[in-house]
């Protein structure tokens, strides 16, 4: 990010880690294949990492010269984290 413009969005994983920080619990299990990754990563995050995640937007409008604006979402324009299905509006 020091050398190049980066577009970063906040998503469900960042929300899981932020919620864990705020609540102190999550139900994650260290050796569980589904939640173990979240638990492992959380144990290795710094306070600066979590503060950075909290600062990220869920939506970013991206402008490139001479091109239409692109809307980047984590999820959909309706709801953060919403899964978009193939062949739907």
């Amino acid at each position: 990010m020091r050398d190049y413009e980066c577009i970063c969005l906040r998503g469900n994983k960042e929300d899981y880690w932020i919620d864990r920080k705020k609540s102190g619990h999550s139900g994650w299990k260290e050796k569980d294949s589904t939640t173990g990754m979240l638990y492992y990563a959380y144990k290795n995050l710094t306070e600066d990492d979590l503060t950075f995640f909290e600062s990220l937007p869920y939506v970013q409008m991206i402008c490139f010269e001479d091109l239409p604006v692109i809307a980047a979402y984590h999820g959909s324009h309706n709801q953060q984290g919403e899964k978009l299905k193939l062949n739907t509006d």
Side-chain angles (χ1 to χ4, degrees):
M1 289 177 65
R2 286 184 294 268
D3 296 330
Y4 300 97
E5 181 180 353
C6 295
I7 298 165
C8 300
L9 295 175
R10 181 170 159 180
N12 55 315
K13 302 290 190 288
E14 291 80 12
D15 281 343
Y16 295 150
W17 294 319
I18 292 165
D19 290 346
R20 168 77 184 239
K21 174 187 163 188
K22 291 177 181 175
S23 70
H25 58 83
S26 64
W28 300 337
K29 297 180 178 131
E30 189 168 1
K31 297 187 185 211
D32 180 90
S33 64
T34 303
T35 62
M37 172 279 304
L38 291 168
Y39 184 68
Y40 175 83
Y42 182 81
K43 290 190 322 183
N44 290 282
L45 294 173
T46 66
E47 190 64 35
D48 286 344
D49 293 329
L50 292 165
T51 299
F52 174 69
F53 295 154
E54 288 175 320
S55 75
L56 295 175
Y58 292 110
V59 177
Q60 182 92 17
M61 303 310 279
I62 305 166
C63 302
F64 296 102
E65 190 174 328
D66 298 324
L67 294 173
V69 174
I70 299 169
Y73 300 89
H74 187 275
S76 79
H77 64 285
N78 293 319
Q79 179 181 345
Q80 183 273 328
E82 178 182 36
K83 293 184 192 283
L84 298 178
K85 301 207 182 336
L86 187 62
N87 298 322
T88 63
D89 291 341

